[in-house]
């Protein structure tokens, strides 16, 4: 191979760098996130498994329903009505962003910008 | 190029495309999932719409300027009420300013009308102007993403999540009623009086009066209307309800509108 | 053929370095703008579009002008333009790329730009503008590359490229018509609400674009061995003259309608731009310079003595290009916002970052143009040697 003495080591370094995330934490998935559930309430508007995978889609659907279609029918769970809203619905129970929302978001390295606009329940500017 | 190398590259390219496309195609065929975005936006309202509270089909507002002329400071109360309830920021400079409802003199509000030999009271009058929630809105026609859209109840609403900040709607609005967030508004919202039940907006999106759609859902009047108390300075209601107060007011008084020749059919009327 | 852009003289690399420097400065300013918001520019609630959209509007015209060499050659067999169609097509590629970059720079939420594709809105002219511009970009890259490759191999271009070439001709007209429709359909802006906005755009495009192409041919003649040929350049000059005269005629028509009808809404913006309105006359010097440059350049292009000499021809083209850039860029876009719908006059001054970003995008376009021209001219030079 022409210039082989540069290419082979170069390729090895490249493969090592490219696969760095895989072998650095080999086998160790890190500490699993433990989002703190709200006290006194057992049921959310949807099952936990669905929420884990699709809460973002749910919020998008809610927004279109509320804003575009004018459908603000509250969701009833165990006789309690919840508004279709992040600020005035979800966060009425899930009050602590750090102990609930951030647990999984930080683990997955996701930075949703919801709270740039939507207020937190106990927010001080 | 070597023929063998060329064949290898062709095969590699095709298998990459197949490899990337196969899971998506699989998903589509097996689960029948369509993109949630397309589904929600394309009028999912057909099956899902039932109004939460009966808000009427054609919302409109009458501003009785005679009352505003008689009561000094009343119009300012409306502006303050609106901007407080909706967390409208105050940047302190004209360049970045955002305003949903504000006062202007007669010549600026009614550019289509004659300004010759106006009666004396009009000289000092200042008129509240706000988004007209037109029946035929040029801004909705202009928006490339349907981020601003016309609801069934007549309100021209904004979806701040979808707005790309192109400002075409601002160019299209014949009344100059839209504002843009030229920078992050959070630091400029009065912390003492902000409304925790209504979100702020982010930089890079257009905003304007929303006829208090959030308050209407709770059965409240728009903030500006509420600020006028029982003076009758502002009347808000459903034009399609022949027994409503607004219909009565429109039947009994001569009203004018802003730039009627443009065919936008505004929903805001003024009694001079 | 891309490797042809990787070898060049010191002058070539020096030029590339200058362009990269401007691009880096523009990128740095853009990062600042991205973090702070568009408030870092001179735009305001009243003048909500500034020099970004102004450059975009002007460059769509430059891109459309590629048709002025393609149409005579392919539709009317005008062989003289045969050598420079590739230069026109590559100029269109660089211009459309700049258009797209300017739009991205102007967006308040650029990460959401794909919302235009995710939520197609056929009633919005911006939606159609995005489509026609991207298709035009693809057409010119595709056609230019295939034809150039054929030239390199010294064969005729393949037959299947012909439909694409023929489509690109009306498509060029469409991109500037759609861009004019952005402005001409807005009921609240009387300065733009004129049926002849699209013809005006096309006339100034077909004057300014070929003028730039003439300049590029003159530059190319000096830095490479490629000569477009006296006849081709003089024919381009003829096109420029007629287009420029028609453009002046259209502008005078606007003046007539506004001032003879004496309707304030029609007169106010022209007052503001050319004479000053209520004491506000910030743009008056610019428009006066534009008018003077336009007249001088048209005269220089008509008079045979100045038209035939390359140095005066170059000066005339530069003056015309600047005049049209002021007229379409600054005058049209910013003038449309003054007075505002509430009859207020707000001044607009681009900020430092805004200017740096603008220069950065122009440098990007110049880089694309340089690279593409280097490739095309290397191919042509090889043929000349062989």
């Amino acid at each position: 191979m022409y210039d082989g003495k540069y290419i082979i080591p170069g390729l090895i370094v490249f493969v090592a760098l490219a696969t760095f995330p895989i072998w650095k934490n080999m086998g160790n998935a890190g500490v699993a996130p433990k989002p703190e559930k709200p006290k006194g309430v057992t049921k959310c508007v949807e099952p936990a498994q669905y929420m884990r995978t699709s809460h973002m889609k749910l919020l998008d659907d809610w927004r279109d329903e509320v804003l575009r279609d004018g459908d603000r029918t509250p969701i009833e769970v165990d006789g309690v009505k919840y508004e279709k809203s992040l600020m005035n619905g979800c966060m009425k129970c899930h009050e602590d962003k750090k102990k609930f929302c951030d647990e999984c978001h930080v683990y997955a390295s996701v930075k949703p910008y919801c709270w740039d606009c939507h207020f937190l329940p106990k927010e001080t500017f | 190029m070597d023929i063998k190398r060329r064949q290898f590259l062709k095969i590699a390219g095709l298998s990459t495309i197949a490899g990337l496309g196969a899971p998506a195609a699989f998903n589509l065929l097996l689960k029948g999932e369509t993109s949630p975005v397309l589904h929600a936006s394309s009028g999912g309202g057909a099956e899902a719409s039932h109004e939460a509270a009966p808000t009427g089909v054609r919302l409109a507002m009458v501003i009785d300027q005679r009352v505003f002329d008689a009561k000094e400071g009343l119009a300012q109360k409306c502006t303050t009420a609106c901007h407080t309830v909706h967390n409208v920021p105050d940047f302190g400079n004209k360049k970045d300013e955002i305003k949903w409802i504000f006062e202007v003199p007669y010549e600026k509000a009614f550019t289509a009308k004659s300004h010759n030999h106006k009666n004396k009271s009009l000289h000092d009058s200042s008129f509240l102007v706000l988004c007209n929630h037109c029946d035929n809105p040029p801004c909705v026609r202009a928006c490339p993403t349907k981020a601003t859209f016309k609801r069934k109840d007549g309100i021209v609403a904004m979806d701040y999540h979808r707005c790309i900040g192109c400002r075409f709607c601002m160019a299209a609005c014949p009344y100059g009623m839209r504002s843009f967030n030229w920078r992050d508004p959070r630091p400029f919202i009065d912390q003492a009086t902000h409304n925790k039940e209504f979100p702020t907006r982010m930089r890079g999106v257009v905003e304007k009066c929303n006829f208090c759609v959030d308050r209407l859902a709770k059965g409240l009047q728009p903030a500006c209307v509420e600020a006028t108390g029982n003076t009758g300075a502002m009347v808000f209601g459903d034009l399609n309800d022949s027994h409503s107060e607004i219909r009565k007011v429109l039947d009994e008084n001569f009203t004018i509108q802003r730039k009627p020749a443009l065919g936008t059919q505004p929903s805001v009327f003024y009694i001079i | 053929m891309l490797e042809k852009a990787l070898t060049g003289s010191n002058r070539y690399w020096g030029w590339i370095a200058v362009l990269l420097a401007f691009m880096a400065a523009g990128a740095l300013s853009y990062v600042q703008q991205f973090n702070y918001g568009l408030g870092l520019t001179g735009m305001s609630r009243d003048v909500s579009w500034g020099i970004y959209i102004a450059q975009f509007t002007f460059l769509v015209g430059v891109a459309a002008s590629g048709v002025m060499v393609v149409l005579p050659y392919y539709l009317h067999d005008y062989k003289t333009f045969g050598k420079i169609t590739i230069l026109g097509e590559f100029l269109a590629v660089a211009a459309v790329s700049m258009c797209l970059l300017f739009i991205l720079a102007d967006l308040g939420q650029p990460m959401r730009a794909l919302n235009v594709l995710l939520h197609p809105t056929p009633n919005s002219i911006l939606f159609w503008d995005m489509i026609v511009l991207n298709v035009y970009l693809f057409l010119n890259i595709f056609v230019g590359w295939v034809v150039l490759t054929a030239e390199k191999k010294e064969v005729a271009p393949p037959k299947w490229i012909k439909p694409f070439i023929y489509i690109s001709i009306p498509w060029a007209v469409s991109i500037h018509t759609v861009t004019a429709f952005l402005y001409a359909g807005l009921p609240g802006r009387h300065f733009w609400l004129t049926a002849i906005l699209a013809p005006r755009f096309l006339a100034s495009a077909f004057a300014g674009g070929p003028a730039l192409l003439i300049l590029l041919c003159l530059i190319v003649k000096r830095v490479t061995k490629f000569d477009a040929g006296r006849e081709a350049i003089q024919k381009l000059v003829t096109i420029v003259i007629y287009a420029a005269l028609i453009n002046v005629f259209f502008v005078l028509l606007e003046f007539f309608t506004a001032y003879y009808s004496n309707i304030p809404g029609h007169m106010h913006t022209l007052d503001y731009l050319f004479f000053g309105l209520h004491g506000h006359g910030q743009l008056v010097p610019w428009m006066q310079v534009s008018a003077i440059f336009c007249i001088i350049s048209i005269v220089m292009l008509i008079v045979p003595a100045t038209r035939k000499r390359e140095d005066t021809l170059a000066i005339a083209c530069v003056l015309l290009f600047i005049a049209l850039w002021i007229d379409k860029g600054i005058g049209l876009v910013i003038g449309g916002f003054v007075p505002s719908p509430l009859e207020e006059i707000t001044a607009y001054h681009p900020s430092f970052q805004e200017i740096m970003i603008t220069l950065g995008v122009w440098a990007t376009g110049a880089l694309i143009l340089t690279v593409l021209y280097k490739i095309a001219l290397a191919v042509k030079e090889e043929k000349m040697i062989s």
Side-chain angles (χ1 to χ4, degrees):
Chain A
M1 188 190 290
Y2 184 67
D3 268 349
K5 57 181 184 291
Y6 300 119
I7 293 179
I8 306 274
L11 274 176
I12 293 175
V13 168
F14 172 75
V15 169
L17 284 173
T19 54
F20 175 82
I22 302 175
W23 54 260
K24 165 80 164 65
N25 273 322
M26 191 67 97
N28 177 15
V31 180
K34 285 188 206 38
E36 196 178 282
K37 305 276 187 338
K39 301 189 188 0
V41 196
T42 44
K43 269 177 77 172
C44 184
V45 294
E46 295 282 349
Q49 186 51 32
Y50 175 81
M51 281 309 226
R52 252 178 236 129
T53 56
S54 314
H55 64 278
M56 335 64 169
K57 181 176 176 318
L58 183 70
L59 286 169
D60 272 350
D61 289 343
W62 277 3
R63 182 180 72 249
D64 284 339
E65 280 167 28
V66 165
L67 193 51
R68 287 180 192 267
D69 306 331
D71 172 15
R72 289 180 192 245
T73 325
I75 310 246
E76 198 165 328
V77 180
D78 277 349
V80 186
K81 288 201 168 96
Y82 298 103
E83 266 185 52
K84 284 194 282 202
S85 151
L86 172 69
M87 246 165 47
N88 302 326
C90 309
M91 308 212 68
K92 287 273 183 269
C93 292
H94 298 285
E95 282 184 333
D96 197 328
K97 168 172 173 273
K98 279 206 186 49
K99 292 199 184 130
F100 184 75
C101 317
D102 282 351
E103 274 285 313
C104 290
H105 288 157
V106 166
Y107 179 76
S109 189
V110 168
K111 291 190 189 68
Y113 54 81
C114 318
W115 297 283
D116 283 354
C117 301
H118 294 272
F119 288 106
L120 290 169
K122 299 195 193 75
E123 182 166 341
T124 47
F125 258 68
Chain B
M1 223 184 200
D2 207 24
I3 295 181
K4 288 191 207 142
R5 207 183 307 169
R6 185 184 274 184
Q7 274 184 337
F8 169 74
L9 282 173
K10 278 189 199 165
I11 295 170
L14 282 169
S15 26
T16 312
I17 293 172
L20 291 171
F26 234 50
N27 244 345
L28 203 61
L29 291 168
L30 287 182
K31 296 184 193 165
E33 256 171 25
T34 50
S35 156
V37 170
L38 287 170
H39 184 67
S41 73
S42 60
E47 321 89 52
S49 76
H50 37 274
E51 306 285 351
T55 49
V57 179
R58 173 77 159 100
L59 295 171
M61 180 188 280
V62 175
I63 294 179
D64 191 343
Q65 190 58 27
R66 302 170 299 196
V67 179
F68 280 110
D69 281 343
K71 290 191 184 333
E72 202 175 305
L74 185 61
Q76 181 55 43
K77 275 207 215 147
C78 295
T79 306
T80 313
C82 166
H83 287 186
T84 309
V85 154
H86 292 113
N87 297 322
V88 174
D90 176 12
F91 293 105
N93 72 69
K94 193 168 184 302
K95 183 172 157 311
D96 297 331
E97 73 178 338
I98 296 181
K99 41 194 191 184
W100 289 24
I101 178 172
F102 53 102
E103 295 172 72
V104 289
Y106 179 75
E107 309 80 59
K108 297 201 173 159
F110 301 100
T111 56
K113 290 250 176 267
S114 158
H115 310 146
N116 280 338
H117 293 285
K118 297 197 294 283
N119 53 332
K120 270 213 214 115
S121 63
L122 273 183
H123 277 288
D124 312 317
S125 278
S126 65
F127 288 76
L128 277 175
V129 289
L130 63 158
C131 167
N132 283 305
H133 296 277
C134 306
D135 233 13
N136 190 8
C139 59
V140 170
R141 266 204 299 289
C143 180
T145 59
K146 295 193 264 297
T148 185
F149 54 96
K150 189 146 179 77
R151 290 164 41 119
K152 279 191 278 294
D153 55 10
I155 295 180
V156 174
M158 284 289 315
D159 180 352
Y160 303 114
H161 289 249
R162 204 184 282 185
C163 177
I164 61 174
C166 69
R167 310 189 296 295
F168 196 21
C169 59
M170 287 176 79
C173 176
Y175 304 104
M177 291 295 113
R178 288 172 161 272
S179 316
F180 185 70
N181 283 279
W182 297 104
R183 43 192 301 211
D184 183 21
R186 271 279 172 115
F188 297 92
I189 297 171
D190 191 346
Q191 295 187 28
T193 55
H194 75 275
N195 176 12
K196 278 189 137 296
E197 312 240 314
F198 194 77
T200 59
R201 275 72 57 197
M202 71 277 280
R203 62 174 164 72
V205 295
V206 175
E207 61 181 66
K208 65 173 189 69
C209 158
N210 64 354
F211 258 2
C212 286
V213 61
D214 48 308
R215 288 172 59 95
L216 292 175
K218 293 192 205 126
L220 298 170
Q221 288 278 57
C224 49
V225 177
E226 195 182 81
T228 61
N230 49 11
T231 57
M234 283 172 134
V235 178
F236 184 84
D238 176 12
L239 279 184
N240 285 350
D241 174 7
S242 44
H243 301 296
S244 59
E245 188 195 347
I246 191 173
R247 282 289 292 271
K248 191 158 155 295
V249 169
L250 286 171
D251 278 341
E252 293 171 1
N253 294 283
F254 177 70
T255 55
I256 62 173
Q257 295 196 289
R258 298 176 64 196
K259 304 195 190 187
L262 296 180
T264 52
Q265 310 245 38
S267 302
V268 177
F269 300 80
Y270 295 83
I271 303 173
I272 305 290
Chain C
M1 289 183 291
L2 277 171
E3 72 283 354
K4 297 197 193 303
L6 293 174
T7 53
S9 65
N10 282 341
R11 198 167 44 167
Y12 172 72
W13 287 115
W15 170 241
I16 301 269
V18 166
L19 292 177
L20 286 173
F22 272 103
M23 285 166 69
L28 214 67
S29 288
Y30 185 73
V31 168
Q32 290 183 320
Q33 183 188 279
F34 189 80
N35 285 330
Y36 180 91
L38 282 164
L40 214 57
T41 66
M43 294 187 272
S44 60
R45 190 179 185 277
D46 282 341
V47 186
S48 46
W49 275 345
I51 54 175
Y52 295 152
I53 297 294
Q55 305 304 300
F56 153 72
T57 311
F58 180 68
L59 285 166
V60 175
V62 172
S65 69
V67 76
M68 272 296 135
V69 282
V70 170
L71 191 152
Y73 180 66
Y74 284 104
L75 276 189
H76 298 280
D77 228 13
Y78 186 65
K79 299 263 184 279
T80 320
F81 277 167
K83 282 163 92 172
I84 56 173
T85 49
I86 188 72
L87 299 184
E89 280 153 1
F90 280 169
L91 173 61
V93 171
V96 176
S97 307
M98 283 194 268
C99 290
L100 297 171
L101 284 174
F102 273 120
I103 293 179
L104 281 178
D106 185 65
L107 286 181
Q109 287 278 342
M111 302 81 66
R112 298 183 188 169
L114 290 178
N115 271 348
V116 187
L117 288 170
L118 283 171
H119 304 283
T121 314
N123 51 265
S124 166
I125 303 291
L126 254 180
F127 167 73
W128 291 111
D129 211 17
M130 177 217 51
I131 290 181
V132 295
L133 280 177
N134 282 293
V135 170
Y136 190 66
L137 179 65
F138 161 74
L139 276 175
N140 277 288
I141 292 178
F142 189 50
V143 167
W145 203 259
V146 166
V147 169
L148 191 63
T149 311
E151 194 177 329
K152 177 173 176 254
K153 294 187 201 275
E154 297 183 10
V155 295
K159 287 207 185 60
W160 48 259
I161 200 68
K162 278 281 160 62
F164 291 98
I165 297 176
Y166 291 137
I167 290 176
S168 79
I169 293 172
W171 207 272
V173 175
S174 83
I175 62 169
H176 219 15
T177 308
V178 173
T179 305
F181 281 174
L182 282 178
Y183 298 99
L186 302 179
R189 308 275 174 191
H190 291 289
F191 184 56
W192 295 334
L193 196 68
T194 166
I196 67 165
L197 198 69
R200 263 180 69 193
F201 270 28
L202 288 165
S204 67
F206 295 150
L212 180 61
L213 192 58
I214 293 172
L215 281 170
L216 290 171
C217 287
L218 293 175
I219 293 173
V220 156
K221 193 165 135 176
R222 267 156 194 64
V223 299
T224 69
K225 297 187 203 58
F226 178 77
D227 183 1
R230 184 168 203 78
E231 204 189 322
I233 298 220
Q234 289 303 314
K235 192 55 70 178
L236 278 176
V237 174
T238 310
I239 294 174
V240 170
I241 296 172
Y242 278 117
L245 284 171
I246 293 174
N247 185 48
V248 170
F249 179 59
F250 280 157
V251 172
L252 292 175
L253 290 178
E254 295 275 23
F255 269 84
F256 178 79
T257 301
Y259 287 105
Y260 194 81
S261 70
N262 216 30
I263 297 177
H266 288 250
M267 290 193 296
H268 279 168
T269 303
L270 285 175
D271 281 341
Y272 174 71
L273 287 176
F274 287 92
F275 310 112
L277 181 65
H278 300 317
H280 295 264
Q282 177 206 14
L283 290 179
V284 172
W286 286 89
M287 303 311 292
Q288 288 177 340
V289 161
S290 167
I292 293 170
F293 277 14
C294 197
I295 296 171
I296 295 178
S297 66
I298 292 179
V299 167
M300 282 176 79
L301 289 173
I302 293 180
V303 169
T306 41
R307 175 175 75 219
K308 294 203 195 303
R309 284 178 48 167
E310 286 189 353
D311 48 0
T312 47
L313 175 62
I315 293 173
C317 288
V318 167
L319 290 179
L320 185 64
F321 192 76
I322 293 176
L324 293 170
W325 176 80
I326 294 176
D327 169 54
K328 212 174 197 175
I330 300 177
L332 177 94
V333 173
I334 294 163
F337 288 102
V338 178
S340 75
L342 288 157
E343 299 288 324
E344 283 171 351
I345 299 173
T346 308
Y348 164 77
H349 311 271
S351 67
F352 172 72
Q353 282 90 349
E354 207 173 352
I355 295 174
M356 290 313 294
I357 293 172
T358 305
L359 288 174
V361 175
W362 274 97
T364 312
L367 182 69
I368 295 174
L369 190 71
T370 308
V371 166
L372 289 175
Y373 270 28
K374 182 80 168 53
I375 297 171
L377 295 164
V379 166
K380 289 185 190 291
E381 278 188 349
E382 268 173 20
K383 265 181 58 189
M384 285 194 284
I385 296 170
S386 69

